Amino acid sequence: MSRMIYNYTKEALERVSFDPVKFNKELKKAAKILLPYEMEHLKNWLQFFSAEKPELKQCILIVIEENKK
């Protein structure tokens, strides 16, 4: 079940990646519901996904901050 949520989260992030504000909002939602190991996977995916989208680079900080909590 949690793998489905992780995959849905990635799809949602891809859909709103054109807008950094919406992307941040979706990322914050994901940080609340994903398990710690899923957040680690999401962080790795974000680094790959944002490589060509510099406006999304700041979003990685949200994932790092949420992992510390």
Side-chain angles (χ1 to χ4, degrees):
M1 177 76 168
S2 64
R3 190 68 172 166
M4 290 172 47
I5 295 170
Y6 171 74
N7 288 332
Y8 174 79
T9 299
K10 283 187 357 184
E11 290 172 10
L13 289 169
E14 287 173 350
R15 283 194 302 266
V16 298
S17 64
F18 64 92
D19 182 359
V21 174
K22 290 181 180 179
F23 192 84
N24 275 332
K25 184 177 176 183
E26 288 297 322
L27 193 54
K28 287 179 183 178
K29 282 195 240 178
K32 291 179 184 177
I33 61 172
L34 293 178
L35 299 172
Y37 74 92
E38 292 173 321
M39 284 303 296
E40 194 62 36
H41 288 292
L42 187 65
K43 185 173 87 172
N44 293 336
W45 176 80
L46 263 176
Q47 289 173 336
F48 171 77
F49 185 73
S50 65
E52 296 178 3
K53 299 175 188 244
E55 66 275 8
L56 300 178
K57 286 281 188 186
Q58 65 181 351
C59 301
I60 296 173
L61 296 175
I62 293 170
V63 176
I64 293 170
E65 288 174 10
E66 291 297 324
N67 271 349
K68 289 180 182 178
K69 291 181 181 178

